[in-house]
Structure formats: C-alpha cells, structure tokens
Amino acid sequence: MRYTPKHAAPKQSVAARRTATAVAVGASTLGAGMIAGTASAHAATVSVAPAVAPATVTVKAASSGVKLAVDGVIGPKTTRALQRWVGVSQTGSMNLSTRKALQKKVGTTRDGVIGPKTVAALQKKIGISRDGARYLNGRTVKGLQSYLNRTLKLTGTAPVSSSKPTGGTSRGGERLNLARAAMWDRIAWCESGRRWGLVASNRTGTYYGGLMMTHDAWRIGGGLAFSYNANQSSREEQITVANNLYAQLGLKPWSCAWAA
C-alpha cells in the first residue's frame, strides 16, 4: 500500500401514608448508596412489593460493567473502559482527547502520540514488564484489559472473542461494510498473500494487515474503532476500513490496485 496521508391520588389513611413515606425514604437511601458506591452509570433498580406492611424493598445490585475479553484488540468496548479509567467521554473511539488523557494518567508528555515513552509508562502503570514496544502491541493491550477488569471491577459476562465476526457487526458492535469483499480479497493476495495478521516494513514505512495499510491510513479510515493497527483486526474489519478509504480515495493508496 502507498499511503501518506393526572389524576388525583386516592385519599389514604394516616397509617398508609406513614408506610408509603417509609418505603420511599428507604428506597431513595438504598438507591443513592448503590450509585455512590460504584463507578457504573447504571442506577440501582428498586421494586416495592404491593400490599405488604411494611413494604418489602428489593434493590438490584448495580453492575460495574461487562468484563473485557483479554484478546489484545482495542475495540470500542476496551476503548470505552479505557476512557472511563482516564476520565473522558466514553465515545468508544481512540480520539485525541483520549490519547492525551491516557498520557496524563501515566505521566508522559501530552502530545497525543502513543509512542515508545507512553507505552513504557503505561506498561509500568498496569504492572507488566517493559518490552520496548513502539506502539500498543497485543501484549500491552492484553495487560491493559486485565488491569481495567480489575481496577474498574468489570464482572459481567465477557464477550466471546472471535477473529471472524459473523453477521453485520464487529466484535465491538460496530457496523461492518463488506462491499467489494471479493475485490479486497484479490488485492490482499497481491499485497500480503491474504495474511490478515501480517506486519511488514521497508524503507518507506511499516504496513499492517492483509491489505498492508499504514497506521495513518487505518486511522483515517476509522480503524481505531476496531484496533490500533490493521493486523490486530479481523478480515471483515479490515475490509470495512478499506471501503471507508475507497470512498475517499478510490484504489490510489494500493500498489496492487491492478489486482482489483
């Protein structure tokens, strides 16, 4: 790839009003306590059994969130958990404000570039050994996912990781666009031998995935909604990003455009 770019309430007796007041106060107190005691955005559910004196109040435990699959892929769910940890809006996209907030969290220069220094600081923060990675590699992302599960107390059922999502959505719930899939398969044969997890470098740069996209191409095509680089995403996700680029630039970015 070559890419540089109202009705009135019925009257109640005094005893009934006292009971109703006690139930309302109890429910309010319990609900507030559950919300204050968790980082979740979900409020506790309060149900009151009718015709019981005093009424029985049942509080459903507030969920801390769905546990992340430790698969080394920065999809929307992992990104939202990361955004929750660093304290920015949970958009599911690894945008500039998220990257700067992450750098602030780990104590590096807030330039928005997740390079070797930021990766090393993150590895130290989450308690894994430094490996000299120049970007968020699979090992670091797995460590981050495990750390977020512990730190944010994510205890819900983990999604099943799959390298080949089925249907019309990705693992993170993003819509997939598999238009021109046969064309992209032909180009991938030329670019990489259809090795969707490939990373290759030459004098012009480093290229990722079956379609040999640069990191910038992957970012511009919306790939950060799936992972940091194309090789960390499935064939279907890579095709979706390629279609986004195709809509902007046609086949110009690919040296194997002739294979289409």
Side-chain angles (χ1 to χ4, degrees), residues 113-136:
V113 179
I114 308 300
K117 291 183 179 179
T118 298
V119 173
L122 175 61
Q123 289 174 335
K124 180 180 179 181
K125 181 77 173 181
I126 64 179
I128 64 175
S129 59
R130 304 182 195 184
D131 60 4
R134 300 184 61 82
Y135 61 93
L136 291 176

Side-chain angles (χ1 to χ4, degrees), residues 60-236:
K60 184 177 180 180
S63 170
S64 294
V66 175
K67 187 175 182 180
L68 300 173
V70 182
D71 57 7
V73 176
I74 306 180
K77 290 184 180 179
T78 296
T79 301
R80 281 192 287 269
L82 172 63
Q83 289 170 329
R84 179 174 154 192
W85 178 52
V86 300
V88 296
S89 178
Q90 296 176 38
T91 64
S93 174
M94 189 70 93
N95 50 32
L96 181 61
S97 63
T98 300
R99 298 195 300 273
K100 286 186 175 182
L102 174 60
Q103 291 175 317
K104 180 180 179 181
K105 189 80 171 180
V106 301
T108 56
T109 303
R110 298 175 62 189
D111 58 7
V113 179
I114 308 300
K117 291 183 179 179
T118 298
V119 173
L122 175 61
Q123 289 174 335
K124 180 180 179 181
K125 181 77 173 181
I126 64 179
I128 64 175
S129 59
R130 304 182 195 184
D131 60 4
R134 300 184 61 82
Y135 61 93
L136 291 176
N137 57 9
R139 173 181 173 272
T140 305
V141 175
K142 285 182 179 181
L144 176 61
Q145 289 166 329
S146 295
Y147 179 84
L148 292 173
N149 281 336
R150 296 192 308 270
T151 303
L152 301 179
K153 296 181 172 59
L154 304 180
T155 57
T157 302
V160 176
S161 177
S162 170
S163 61
K164 293 185 178 181
T166 59
T169 59
S170 72
R171 286 164 290 179
E174 300 292 320
R175 293 294 300 174
L176 295 174
N177 177 5
L178 300 183
R180 296 174 286 274
M183 180 189 79
W184 293 120
D185 280 337
R186 291 191 295 272
I187 292 175
W189 270 118
C190 172
E191 293 279 0
S192 68
R194 285 190 67 187
R195 289 175 287 176
W196 299 97
L198 182 65
V199 179
S201 298
N202 60 26
R203 61 184 178 80
T204 64
T206 301
Y207 304 87
Y208 304 89
L211 295 166
M212 290 281 95
M213 298 188 205
T214 63
H215 174 71
D216 282 343
W218 183 249
R219 175 180 56 80
I220 292 169
L224 293 181
F226 301 119
S227 64
Y228 190 70
N229 276 314
N231 64 300
Q232 298 171 328
S233 281
S234 68
R235 165 185 172 271
E236 289 81 357

